[in-house]
């Protein structure tokens, strides 16, 4: 089938919808706005071809291609053979009929007339719709919907019109050479295409300044739509039904999110770093394989909610758009389809094994997405697909460790259990975002991010009396994560002895500090420290631990002694010690205690 003729016909139909008037009259008035006449004969295309070949001037055409294949001499009629030949005959008939009428018209005008008549006639064809006719009419109908709703987006030569035509020129990549051989894909590819076309036009409608050009459309068709469609081919009937349900769940929210990602990153592609359809294809194929895995403990669709599946797919495609070399590097002959599928299966296994399903699906999804973003953003800088530091193994390790730690903490209850779902998600995101700013800290072996998560939760769990709000503890977590970026070895790997037990410096100091404040508040409710005082104390202590700590190492209990001394002062002279006085005192005394190991 002539894809350019179909594209021209679709453009003609869109122009007709834009005008909404008698186009044959308009052509007589002003040729530059020529559009095809949509008045159609009442007979079917099959009857029209027969009538055309029985006209005296056309008898010789009966034995010439493409008409010869279907011509039946005994009955003096043209008969249907197959979809491709039928459409070729109809197109040729319209071309010949229009030759005299359009002798003074441009090639584009001729194609628009011929293609427009052919496409519109497909609506009235008595034969079952072919893949070509379904898709062409779908594009026309979607375009007409947006013409009515967003006329500024779908005007003549507009971005919207060009976008629809761009999709039209890619139809041949979705339809096999033998259009009769669509098999289980019958009508399915048309539905998938329709969703992406609508989503693309919706993104244009949201912001008319954006650009979705032909190369971006090609990447979406080749890298996302095609893998979705072809994945169905080797499935049996029951699997086909399940697969259709899966795709119906995914493609709505995913398609518009992916188009927004492409638009948001357009400027980066103007310099030549364009969307890699192969990277998109690897992510899409791997995701669909993992979502249809027969082993339930490896099937991501069995672990995540519908919204979670969509969000996870978009997160993977986001990395493919921004860092395609993570998934595909032609120069190194690297195709990470299997690695990506393995990562997704490992994610499913990790969450399936989480203690008694303590993690709900929203939190599971958030952890996976946060890791995808953190690792994916820096993968090309740090790993370069280095076999010694495989990105997929690192991501799987982080997801497994973070999910296990959150699951255990929530199962044990305590202060962290009072965080709502959104705040629990942010807790992991804050740590991963801050730690990933120094990509060298993202390591399978050192477990940097996990140690920061463990330390943060261990400290938060000491706040049994709600001294700090959830948001304040999240702010503290961000402060601690920032400190880890610059002083991780000291804060989390250096240990000191506390009551005969070796503990990481940060927890060995901050946990007893929080416990002492809480005990003081419990014993002296009328002198209870306010949240801003507590926050100042813990943050000042963290900052102090980043400097000279020789005094603390020589006197590990010095901060506890300082707190006992201060608390006694507050009890003895309550009128003297307001929050500002306490802050001023701590700012100076903590420094001398940590650096010199002495009380003021």
């Amino acid at each position: 089938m002539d894809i350019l003729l179909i594209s021209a016909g679709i453009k003609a139909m869109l122009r007709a919808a834009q005008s909404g008037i008698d186009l044959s009259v308009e052509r007589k008035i002003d040729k530059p706005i020529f559009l095809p006449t949509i008045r159609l004969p009442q007979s079917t295309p099959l009857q029209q071809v027969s009538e055309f070949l029985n006209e005296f001037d056309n008898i010789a055409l009966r034995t010439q291609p493409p008409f010869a294949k279907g011509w039946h001499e005994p009955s003096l009629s043209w008969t249907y053979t197959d979809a491709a030949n039928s459409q070729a005959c109809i197109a040729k008939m319209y071309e010949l009929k229009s030759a005299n009428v359009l002798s003074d018209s441009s090639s584009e005008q001729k194609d628009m007339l011929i293609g427009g008549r052919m496409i519109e006639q497909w609506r009235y064809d008595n034969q079952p719709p072919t893949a070509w006719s379904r898709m062409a009419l779908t594009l026309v109908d979607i375009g007409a919907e947006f013409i009515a709703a967003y006329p500024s987006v779908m005007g003549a030569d507009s971005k919207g019109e060009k976008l629809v035509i761009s999709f039209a020129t890619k139809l041949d990549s979705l339809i096999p050479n033998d259009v009769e051989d669509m098999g289980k894909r019958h009508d399915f590819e048309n539905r998938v295409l329709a969703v992406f076309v609508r989503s693309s036009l919706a993104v244009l409608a949201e912001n008319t300044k954006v650009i979705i050009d032909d190369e971006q459309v090609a990447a979406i068709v080749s890298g996302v739509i095609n893998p979705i469609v072809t994945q169905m081919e080797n499935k049996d009937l029951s699997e086909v039904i399940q697969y259709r349900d899966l795709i119906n769940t995914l493609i709505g929210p995913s398609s518009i999110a992916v188009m927004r990602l492409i638009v948001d990153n357009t400027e980066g592609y103007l310099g030549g770093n364009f969307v890699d359809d192969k990277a998109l294809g690897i992510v899409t194929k791997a995701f669909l394989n993992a979502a249809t895995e027969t082993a339930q403990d490896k099937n991501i669709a069995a672990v995540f909610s519908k919204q979670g599946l969509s969000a996870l797919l978009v997160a993977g495609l986001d990395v493919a758009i921004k860092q395609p070399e993570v998934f595909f590097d032609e120069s190194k002959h690297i195709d990470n389809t299997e690695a990506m599928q393995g990562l997704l299966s490992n994610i499913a296994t990790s969450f399936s094994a989480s203690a008694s399903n303590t993690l709900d699906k929203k939190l599971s999804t958030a952890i996976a997405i946060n890791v995808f973003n953190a690792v994916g953003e820096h993968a090309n800088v740090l790993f370069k697909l280095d076999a010694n530091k495989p990105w997929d193994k690192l991501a799987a390790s982080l997801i497994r460790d973070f999910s296990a730690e959150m699951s255990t903490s929530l199962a044990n209850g305590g202060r962290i259990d009072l965080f709502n779902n959104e705040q629990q998600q942010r807790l992991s995101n804050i740590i991963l975002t801050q730690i990933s700013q120094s990509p060298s800290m993202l390591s399978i072996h050192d477990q940097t991010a996990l140690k920061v998560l463990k330390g943060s939760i261990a400290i938060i769990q000491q706040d049994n009396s709600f001294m700090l709000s959830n948001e304040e503890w999240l702010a503290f977590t961000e402060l601690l994560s920032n400190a880890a970026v610059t002083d991780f070895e000291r804060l989390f790997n250096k240990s000191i002895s506390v009551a005969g037990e070796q503990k990481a410096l940060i927890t060995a100091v901050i946990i007893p500090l929080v416990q002492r404040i809480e005990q003081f508040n419990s014993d002296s409710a009328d002198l209870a420290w306010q949240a801003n005082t507590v926050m100042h104390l813990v943050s000042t202590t963290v900052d102090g631990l980043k400097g000279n700590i020789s005094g603390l190492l020589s006197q590990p209990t010095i901060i506890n002694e300082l707190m006992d001394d201060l608390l006694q002062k507050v009890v003895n002279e309550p009128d003297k010690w307001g929050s500002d006085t306490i802050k001023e005192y701590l700012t100076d005394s903590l420094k001398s205690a940590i650096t010199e190991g002495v009380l003021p």
Side-chain angles (χ1 to χ4, degrees):
M1 195 64 192
D2 188 340
I3 193 65
L4 296 180
L5 182 62
I6 288 180
S7 301
I10 291 173
K11 180 187 287 188
M13 300 303 298
L14 294 178
R15 295 286 177 88
Q18 292 159 18
S19 298
I21 51 180
D22 190 330
L23 302 174
S24 61
V25 173
E26 288 300 307
R27 179 176 183 257
K28 295 175 183 176
I29 300 173
D30 189 354
K31 280 176 57 179
I33 66 164
F34 163 75
L35 298 169
T37 298
I38 305 302
R39 290 173 178 166
L40 301 165
Q42 298 301 310
S43 55
T44 66
L46 188 150
Q47 293 169 332
Q48 291 174 50
V49 173
S50 293
E51 292 168 2
F52 174 73
L53 294 177
N54 278 309
E55 293 176 8
F56 180 77
D57 292 338
N58 300 326
I59 290 176
L61 297 174
R62 296 172 178 173
T63 56
Q64 298 177 16
F67 301 106
K69 187 175 182 180
W71 179 253
H72 187 247
E73 186 63 30
S75 63
L76 294 178
S77 64
W78 182 84
T79 58
Y80 179 89
T81 55
D82 57 69
N85 179 250
S86 173
Q87 289 163 1
C89 290
I90 293 168
K92 188 66 176 179
M93 176 186 67
Y94 281 132
E95 178 185 347
L96 294 171
K97 278 187 173 184
S98 305
N100 295 329
V101 177
L102 300 178
S103 59
D104 59 344
S105 301
S106 68
S107 174
E108 181 185 20
Q109 289 175 333
K110 291 178 181 178
D111 285 346
M112 287 175 68
L113 173 65
I114 298 165
R117 281 179 167 171
M118 179 177 67
I119 290 173
E120 185 64 11
Q121 183 64 60
W122 282 339
R123 294 190 189 279
Y124 308 101
D125 195 346
N126 288 336
Q127 296 294 334
T130 66
W132 286 108
S133 62
R134 277 197 307 272
M135 289 191 181
L137 289 170
T138 292
L139 292 178
V140 169
D141 291 342
I142 292 173
E145 290 175 17
F146 277 81
I147 288 170
Y150 305 98
S152 61
V153 174
M154 286 298 299
D157 289 321
S158 64
K159 293 178 182 178
E161 181 185 87
K162 291 176 181 177
L163 178 65
V164 174
I165 301 307
S166 181
F167 273 102
T169 60
K170 312 299 182 298
L171 292 182
D172 55 347
S173 67
L174 294 174
I175 300 174
N177 292 331
D178 184 356
V179 293
E180 304 291 336
D181 188 30
M182 292 299 289
K184 302 182 184 73
R185 292 165 49 182
H186 176 75
D187 190 46
F188 179 67
E189 78 292 335
N190 187 53
R191 293 162 58 196
V192 176
L193 174 69
V195 171
F196 277 91
V197 175
R198 281 195 174 90
S199 295
S200 302
L201 288 172
V203 170
L204 285 185
E206 289 175 351
N207 183 358
T208 55
K209 294 181 180 180
V210 304
I211 298 172
I212 303 177
D213 63 24
D214 193 62
E215 290 184 353
Q216 291 168 320
V217 171
I220 287 296
V221 172
S222 175
V224 182
I225 298 178
N226 238 326
I228 290 174
V229 171
T230 56
Q231 190 80 2
M232 180 181 284
E233 291 179 351
N234 297 321
K235 299 186 180 302
D236 60 30
L237 181 58
S238 62
E239 291 173 333
V240 165
I241 294 172
Q242 292 176 356
Y243 185 72
R244 283 177 177 264
D245 289 342
L246 172 68
I247 297 304
N248 288 339
T249 295
L250 288 177
I251 60 173
S254 300
S255 61
I256 197 163
V258 170
M259 296 313 301
R260 284 176 180 148
L261 284 174
I262 289 178
V263 166
D264 290 343
N265 289 276
T266 296
E267 290 185 358
Y269 307 133
L270 297 181
N273 184 24
F274 187 67
V275 182
D276 190 320
D277 64 320
K278 293 182 177 63
L280 291 178
I282 285 171
V283 173
T284 304
K285 290 174 187 175
F287 187 90
L288 294 174
N289 286 338
T292 54
E293 171 67 55
T294 53
Q296 287 300 294
D297 63 338
K298 295 182 179 181
N299 187 316
I300 55 174
V303 175
F304 294 100
S305 65
K306 293 178 179 179
Q307 294 81 0
L309 279 176
S310 177
L312 192 61
L313 173 59
V314 171
L317 292 173
D318 186 18
V319 178
I321 290 170
K322 295 175 181 176
Q323 310 289 352
E325 59 270 35
V326 171
F327 302 103
F328 180 81
D329 190 328
E330 189 169 8
S331 64
K332 297 179 181 179
H333 307 290
I334 292 174
D335 179 332
N336 275 312
T337 305
E338 290 185 8
M340 181 62 182
Q341 184 177 342
L343 168 58
L344 293 168
S345 295
N346 284 333
I347 291 173
T349 302
S350 295
F351 291 130
S352 296
S354 293
S356 302
N357 295 320
T358 306
L359 293 185
D360 73 2
K361 291 187 175 183
K362 287 184 179 179
L363 183 54
S364 302
T365 304
I367 290 174
I369 291 173
N370 291 339
V371 170
F372 262 55
N373 292 337
V375 176
E377 182 180 357
H378 301 284
N380 68 327
V381 176
L382 178 60
F383 306 114
K384 286 293 184 181
L385 303 176
D386 185 344
N388 296 320
K389 292 182 177 179
W391 65 272
D392 56 307
K393 298 294 190 297
L394 170 60
S397 174
L398 285 170
I399 291 170
R400 181 187 64 247
D401 292 342
F402 265 57
S403 60
E405 179 62 25
M406 289 299 294
S407 178
T408 300
S409 299
L410 292 171
N412 292 336
R415 182 67 179 81
I416 195 70
D417 203 32
L418 298 178
F419 280 42
N420 63 35
N421 188 272
E422 186 266 340
Q423 290 165 335
Q424 292 167 3
Q425 294 175 32
R426 283 167 55 200
L427 180 68
S428 66
N429 188 40
I430 287 169
I431 294 170
L432 286 165
T433 300
Q434 297 303 319
I435 296 299
S436 66
Q437 297 311 306
S438 178
S440 60
M441 298 180 72
L442 289 173
S443 169
I444 297 175
H445 307 294
D446 295 337
Q447 295 187 313
T448 304
L450 178 61
K451 288 182 179 180
V452 177
L453 177 65
K454 284 177 173 286
S456 299
I457 293 176
I459 293 169
I460 292 170
Q461 293 287 56
Q462 307 309 311
D463 182 14
N464 296 311
S465 58
F466 222 128
M467 293 185 294
L468 295 182
S469 69
N470 294 350
E471 291 299 323
E472 287 166 328
W473 277 121
L474 288 173
F476 170 79
T477 300
E478 184 168 6
L479 179 148
L480 192 60
S481 300
N482 281 325
V485 172
T486 56
D487 293 270
F488 178 78
E489 281 299 318
R490 167 178 290 194
L491 297 177
F492 291 89
N493 280 346
K494 190 176 189 64
S495 61
I496 62 173
S497 177
V498 178
E501 183 181 353
Q502 292 294 317
K503 293 186 177 181
L505 178 64
I506 189 68
T507 52
V509 172
I510 301 297
I511 286 179
L513 187 62
V514 174
Q515 290 173 336
R516 262 178 165 68
I517 298 171
E518 187 168 67
Q519 184 62 45
F520 174 73
N521 284 348
S522 175
D523 295 343
S524 306
D526 55 329
L527 299 175
W529 288 14
Q530 300 301 310
N532 62 348
T533 307
V534 177
M535 190 67 175
H536 177 79
L537 175 56
V538 293
S539 60
T540 302
T541 304
V542 171
D543 288 339
L545 294 177
K546 293 159 63 177
N548 180 358
I549 59 171
S550 57
L552 175 64
L553 295 180
S554 64
Q555 296 288 336
T557 61
I558 190 65
I559 292 181
N560 292 341
E561 294 173 16
L562 171 65
M563 287 302 300
D564 290 341
D565 182 63
L566 172 60
L567 295 175
Q568 192 60 49
K569 285 180 169 63
V570 174
V571 171
N572 293 338
E573 300 179 274
D575 294 339
K576 180 179 178 179
W577 295 92
S579 61
D580 287 345
T581 316
I582 292 172
K583 290 177 184 177
E584 292 172 5
Y585 176 83
L586 287 173
T587 300
D588 296 329
S589 58
L590 272 171
K591 182 177 181 180
S592 61
I594 293 172
T595 59
E596 300 173 19
V598 298
L599 297 178

